[in-house]
Amino acid sequence: MKTEWDLNKYYKGLEDERLEKDVRAIERAYAAFEKKYKNDTRYLVGRAPLIRALEDYEKLYVLPKPLSFLFLSKTIDTNNKKIDAKIAQVQQRIVRAANRVVFFRLTLGELPLERQSKLLSDPRLSEFHYFLKNVF
């Protein structure tokens, strides 16, 4: 019975160019969200645009493959300083990218209380209820 993880299904190692490619894709995804929604506030008025915006936002917040790989690598080799450095580097880049979409939560949180109540009671938004309640 095999008792070691095979992380090659993720990447071949810390210097695998696919890891960098995936981090750049994450950065582009945040930038695309910002470009799409920062100056277009139709999601604040219409239900369908809000649902699309929430779905797009939700896609950004899945644990990224590069971090999964790095955290698992760290679990296997807890004393490896190169892994520590790479985790710090990738986390910093992802946080910087994520900061580009902070406006979304802030803008939603500024909705009038009456609009917030309507959104929270709308059954078509039920899957986003927890998120919206925390934003409001």
Side-chain angles (χ1 to χ4, degrees), residues 19 57 60 76-77 84 100 104 106 123 134:
L19 192 146
Y57 186 80
L60 297 173
I76 292 170
D77 190 357
D84 291 337
R100 297 181 74 160
F104 185 69
L106 295 174
N134 284 300

Short mmCIF file of all heavy atoms in Angstrom, two decimals, residues 19 57 60 76-77 84 100 104 106 123 134:
data_model
loop_
_atom_site.label_atom_id
_atom_site.label_comp_id
_atom_site.label_asym_id
_atom_site.label_seq_id
_atom_site.Cartn_x
_atom_site.Cartn_y
_atom_site.Cartn_z
N LEU A 19 2.93 26.05 -12.57
CA LEU A 19 2.58 26.71 -11.31
C LEU A 19 2.52 28.22 -11.53
O LEU A 19 1.54 28.88 -11.16
CB LEU A 19 3.59 26.34 -10.22
CG LEU A 19 3.21 26.72 -8.80
CD1 LEU A 19 3.74 25.67 -7.83
CD2 LEU A 19 3.71 28.07 -8.40
N TYR A 57 -17.98 36.17 -8.53
CA TYR A 57 -17.21 36.43 -7.32
C TYR A 57 -16.88 35.12 -6.60
O TYR A 57 -15.76 34.91 -6.14
CB TYR A 57 -17.99 37.37 -6.42
CG TYR A 57 -17.25 37.85 -5.20
CD1 TYR A 57 -16.32 38.87 -5.29
CD2 TYR A 57 -17.49 37.27 -3.95
CE1 TYR A 57 -15.64 39.32 -4.16
CE2 TYR A 57 -16.81 37.72 -2.83
CZ TYR A 57 -15.89 38.74 -2.94
OH TYR A 57 -15.21 39.17 -1.83
N LEU A 60 -13.90 33.10 -7.66
CA LEU A 60 -12.58 33.60 -7.28
C LEU A 60 -12.09 33.01 -5.96
O LEU A 60 -10.90 33.00 -5.68
CB LEU A 60 -12.62 35.14 -7.14
CG LEU A 60 -12.92 35.93 -8.40
CD1 LEU A 60 -13.08 37.41 -8.05
CD2 LEU A 60 -11.84 35.74 -9.44
N ILE A 76 4.49 17.61 3.63
CA ILE A 76 5.42 16.50 3.39
C ILE A 76 6.83 16.86 3.86
O ILE A 76 7.54 16.02 4.40
CB ILE A 76 5.43 16.14 1.88
CG1 ILE A 76 4.09 15.54 1.48
CG2 ILE A 76 6.57 15.17 1.56
CD1 ILE A 76 3.92 15.38 -0.03
N ASP A 77 7.24 18.09 3.64
CA ASP A 77 8.61 18.51 3.93
C ASP A 77 8.58 19.80 4.76
O ASP A 77 8.80 20.89 4.26
CB ASP A 77 9.35 18.73 2.60
CG ASP A 77 10.84 18.93 2.77
OD1 ASP A 77 11.32 18.95 3.93
OD2 ASP A 77 11.54 19.09 1.75
N ASP A 84 8.59 27.35 2.00
CA ASP A 84 8.12 28.50 2.78
C ASP A 84 8.16 29.78 1.95
O ASP A 84 7.21 30.57 1.94
CB ASP A 84 8.97 28.70 4.04
CG ASP A 84 8.78 27.61 5.07
OD1 ASP A 84 7.72 26.94 5.05
OD2 ASP A 84 9.69 27.43 5.90
N ARG A 100 -7.97 43.75 -5.40
CA ARG A 100 -8.57 44.47 -6.52
C ARG A 100 -10.09 44.37 -6.53
O ARG A 100 -10.76 45.17 -7.18
CB ARG A 100 -8.03 43.94 -7.85
CG ARG A 100 -6.53 44.14 -8.01
CD ARG A 100 -6.06 43.63 -9.31
NE ARG A 100 -6.51 44.56 -10.36
CZ ARG A 100 -5.98 44.62 -11.55
NH1 ARG A 100 -4.99 43.82 -11.89
NH2 ARG A 100 -6.44 45.49 -12.43
N PHE A 104 -16.25 45.20 -4.34
CA PHE A 104 -17.51 44.49 -4.54
C PHE A 104 -18.26 44.32 -3.22
O PHE A 104 -19.43 44.68 -3.11
CB PHE A 104 -17.23 43.14 -5.19
CG PHE A 104 -18.47 42.36 -5.54
CD1 PHE A 104 -19.31 42.79 -6.56
CD2 PHE A 104 -18.78 41.20 -4.87
CE1 PHE A 104 -20.45 42.07 -6.90
CE2 PHE A 104 -19.91 40.47 -5.20
CZ PHE A 104 -20.76 40.91 -6.21
N LEU A 106 -17.71 45.96 -0.44
CA LEU A 106 -18.00 47.29 0.13
C LEU A 106 -19.22 47.93 -0.53
O LEU A 106 -20.07 48.51 0.15
CB LEU A 106 -16.78 48.20 -0.03
CG LEU A 106 -15.53 47.78 0.74
CD1 LEU A 106 -14.35 48.69 0.38
CD2 LEU A 106 -15.78 47.78 2.23
N PRO A 123 -36.03 34.33 -2.63
CA PRO A 123 -35.67 32.91 -2.70
C PRO A 123 -34.70 32.59 -3.84
O PRO A 123 -33.95 31.62 -3.76
CB PRO A 123 -37.01 32.20 -2.90
CG PRO A 123 -37.96 33.24 -3.34
CD PRO A 123 -37.46 34.56 -2.84
N ASN A 134 -23.55 38.34 5.66
CA ASN A 134 -22.28 38.76 6.23
C ASN A 134 -21.79 40.09 5.66
O ASN A 134 -21.12 40.86 6.35
CB ASN A 134 -21.21 37.69 6.05
CG ASN A 134 -21.40 36.55 7.01
OD1 ASN A 134 -21.36 36.75 8.21
ND2 ASN A 134 -21.63 35.37 6.49
#
